[in-house]
């Protein structure tokens, strides 16, 4: 349990096990600090261990009792006591300190732990140090959920993206792109599907001005998987796994016998949907997957379709649409290709057949 939380000058932090400072990691963390500063917070925390005698010195220096110091947990940065003239041994965070200095920060928040807890703390850190980075889909969900609600989480998640992906995410979150965001959010109920989301492609989607087609396909993914395959059962939707989605995407089982045979075999040996163990649910999934008379969709099939549709979109803009009006406002979007083309046609307008002179 934490002994308390304090603010500490950067120069007071000591790292027993020195590391080489990675430029890329430091620059990424600098963006985290920048985002937090914009949000009016700086809630980056580093754990430090203190010996019993050292803890007594800290209490005396702050003029607090042990109970008063414990009550600092959960307080905001401005309400935390500043601990100076005492050097603290940090478990990790050397990159954070380097990034903070680069962002002209002067202090960081430190969680104080008893040195008696050092071994279990190091074991926990070691256990989770091999965790993979959060996927774009996981970060997208946290950004959407924290937008205008939790500025600290929003800043952290934005800072966890690469700079191009952060720009794309900010572009996508503009009010004029709300319809696409709503369509994307309908897929949040399928966590495994969101694993495929690649935020680096978003700017390419928006640049084509084919919002209707993108929204339609996102809704198509949602309907096929949630209603067509899982029949609306939330427990099954939550049980879908990314490996099964990758196996099934691009397949057309009612049209291609090879796809149907492969799907049957992978259901039989348990490769598909291994977390679904109920025989009735597995039979239903098998039946619904095998009855698909379309390409089973996913984010990857969407990206492939966009790749091909982009050629048609560019040809229309270059040779059919005189000029596509562009709007740089964050609230008002530019008209889509469909809107520009459809505005040239009135209802019940027909072409008269040409009379032959022969």
């Amino acid at each position: 349990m934490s002994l308390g939380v304090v603010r500490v000058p950067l120069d007071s932090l000591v790292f027993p096990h020195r590391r080489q400072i990675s430029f890329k990691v430091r620059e990424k963390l600098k963006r985290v600090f920048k985002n937090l500063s914009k949000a009016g917070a700086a809630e980056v925390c580093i754990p430090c261990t203190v010996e019993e005698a050292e803890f007594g010195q800290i209490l005396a220096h702050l003029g607090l009792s042990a109970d008063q110091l414990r009550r600092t947990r959960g307080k905001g940065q401005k309400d935390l006591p500043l601990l100076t003239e005492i050097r603290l041994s940090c478990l990790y965070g050397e990159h954070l300190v380097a990034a903070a200095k680069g962002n002209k920060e002067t202090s960081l928040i430190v969680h104080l732990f008893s040195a008696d807890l050092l071994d279990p703390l190091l074991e926990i850190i070691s256990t989770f140090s091999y965790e993979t980075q959060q996927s774009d889909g996981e970060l997208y969900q946290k950004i959407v959920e924290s937008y205008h609600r939790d500025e600290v989480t929003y800043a952290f998640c934005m800072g966890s993206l690469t700079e191009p992906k952060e720009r794309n995410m900010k572009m996508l979150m503009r009010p004029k792109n709300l319809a696409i965001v709503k369509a994307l959010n309908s897929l949040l109920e399928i966590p495994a599907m969101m694993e495929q989301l690649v935020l680096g492609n978003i700017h390419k989607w928006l640049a084509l001005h084919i919002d209707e087609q993108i929204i339609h396909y996102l809704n198509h993914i949602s309907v096929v998987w949630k209603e067509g395959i899982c029949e609306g059962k939330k427990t099954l939707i939550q049980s879908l796994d990314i490996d099964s989605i990758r196996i099934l995407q691009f397949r057309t089982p009612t049209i291609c016998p090879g796809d149907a045979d492969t799907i049957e075999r992978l259901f039989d040996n348990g490769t598909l949907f291994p977390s679904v163990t109920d025989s009735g649910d597995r039979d239903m999934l098998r039946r619904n997957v095998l009855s698909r008379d379309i390409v089973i969709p996913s984010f990857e099939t969407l990206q492939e379709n966009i790749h091909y549709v982009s050629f048609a979109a560019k040809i229309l803009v270059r040779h059919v649409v005189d000029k596509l009006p562009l709007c740089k406002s964050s609230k008002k979007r530019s008209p889509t290709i469909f809107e520009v083309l459809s505005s040239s046609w009135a209802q019940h307008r027909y072409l008269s057949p040409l009379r032959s002179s022969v």
Side-chain angles (χ1 to χ4, degrees), residues 197-224:
L197 178 63
V198 179
L199 293 175
N201 293 328
I202 296 296
H203 69 290
K204 298 177 183 178
W205 296 5
L206 301 178
L208 291 171
H209 303 285
I210 54 171
D211 296 20
E212 296 91 350
Q213 288 71 35
I214 292 172
I215 291 168
H216 175 78
Y217 201 94
L218 289 170
N219 291 332
H220 171 61
I221 297 173
S222 178
V223 169
V224 167

Side-chain angles (χ1 to χ4, degrees), residues 269-341:
N269 64 24
T271 300
L272 286 173
F273 310 114
S275 59
V276 179
T277 56
D278 181 81
S279 59
D281 286 339
R282 289 193 64 80
D283 288 343
M284 183 198 73
L285 289 173
R286 181 197 297 255
R287 182 177 64 253
N288 291 339
V289 168
L290 289 171
S291 66
R292 294 300 101 194
D293 57 356
I294 54 170
V295 173
I296 296 177
S298 67
F299 273 115
E300 290 189 21
T301 64
L302 167 62
Q303 191 56 42
E304 285 297 308
N305 281 332
I306 287 179
H307 174 70
Y308 288 108
V309 170
S310 66
F311 294 114
K314 290 172 184 176
I315 289 170
L316 286 171
V317 170
R318 187 173 301 174
H319 299 292
V320 179
V321 179
D322 292 333
K323 188 176 181 182
L324 195 64
L326 298 178
C327 180
K328 295 184 178 180
S329 168
S330 64
K331 295 182 179 179
K332 185 179 179 181
R333 65 172 175 78
S334 304
T336 63
I337 294 175
F338 176 80
E339 289 171 337
V340 172
L341 290 175

Side-chain angles (χ1 to χ4, degrees), residues 41-286:
E43 305 294 333
V44 179
C45 304
I46 293 179
C48 293
T49 57
V50 293
E51 300 287 348
E52 187 174 348
E54 189 179 17
F55 183 56
Q57 294 176 0
I58 290 172
L59 293 176
H61 190 83
L62 295 174
L64 298 175
S65 67
D67 187 55
Q68 287 174 323
L69 184 57
R70 272 193 294 271
R71 288 201 292 267
T72 58
R73 292 176 299 187
K75 288 188 176 182
Q77 184 194 22
K78 294 181 180 179
D79 299 320
L80 294 175
L82 178 65
L83 178 64
T84 59
E85 300 177 9
I86 294 180
R87 298 177 74 79
L88 298 175
S89 177
C90 301
L91 298 178
Y92 64 82
E94 200 166 359
H95 279 91
L96 278 171
V97 172
K101 289 179 178 178
N103 204 52
K104 299 182 180 179
E105 303 285 340
T106 57
S107 63
L108 281 179
I109 297 174
V110 168
H111 278 258
L112 300 176
F113 292 91
S114 168
D116 294 337
L117 295 174
L118 178 59
D119 289 338
L121 282 172
L122 288 176
E123 184 176 346
I124 292 173
I125 292 169
S126 175
T127 300
F128 288 96
S129 64
Y130 300 101
E131 290 288 310
T132 57
Q133 291 185 344
Q134 295 181 88
S135 68
D136 285 4
E138 289 175 304
L139 290 171
Y140 171 85
Q141 180 169 1
K142 290 181 179 179
I143 289 168
V144 169
E145 291 175 347
S146 63
Y147 187 57
H148 289 327
R149 295 186 186 91
D150 184 345
E151 292 180 335
V152 173
T153 299
Y154 177 82
F156 263 118
C157 291
M158 277 294 197
S160 297
L161 296 169
T162 62
E163 287 191 65
K165 288 181 179 180
E166 182 180 354
R167 285 196 301 269
N168 287 353
M169 192 65 204
K170 289 179 178 178
M171 191 186 308
L172 181 64
M173 295 297 287
R174 291 172 183 170
K176 64 181 181 181
N177 296 317
L178 181 61
I180 294 179
V181 171
K182 283 184 176 179
L184 274 170
N185 289 352
S186 71
L187 293 170
L188 291 176
E189 295 177 33
I190 316 176
M193 185 66 70
M194 293 303 294
E195 287 291 307
Q196 285 192 329
L197 178 63
V198 179
L199 293 175
N201 293 328
I202 296 296
H203 69 290
K204 298 177 183 178
W205 296 5
L206 301 178
L208 291 171
H209 303 285
I210 54 171
D211 296 20
E212 296 91 350
Q213 288 71 35
I214 292 172
I215 291 168
H216 175 78
Y217 201 94
L218 289 170
N219 291 332
H220 171 61
I221 297 173
S222 178
V223 169
V224 167
W225 282 95
K226 290 196 288 190
E227 304 300 328
I229 294 177
C230 294
E231 295 187 3
K233 292 188 176 181
K234 291 187 177 181
T235 53
L236 287 182
I237 295 170
Q238 295 289 319
S239 298
L240 296 176
D241 61 283
I242 184 61
D243 291 331
S244 295
I245 290 174
R246 284 181 174 141
I247 290 170
L248 294 174
Q249 64 186 8
F250 293 103
R251 296 187 184 274
T252 52
T254 61
I255 298 173
C256 177
D259 284 347
D261 291 342
T262 299
I263 291 170
E264 288 275 20
R265 176 171 52 81
L266 294 178
F267 262 108
D268 289 339
N269 64 24
T271 300
L272 286 173
F273 310 114
S275 59
V276 179
T277 56
D278 181 81
S279 59
D281 286 339
R282 289 193 64 80
D283 288 343
M284 183 198 73
L285 289 173
R286 181 197 297 255

Side-chain angles (χ1 to χ4, degrees), residues 10-27:
L10 297 179
D11 293 336
S12 296
L13 300 175
V14 178
F15 298 90
H17 306 288
R18 303 286 299 180
R19 298 178 61 192
Q20 293 293 322
I21 301 297
S22 164
F23 174 79
K24 287 185 178 180
V25 174
R26 186 189 64 195
E27 291 302 302

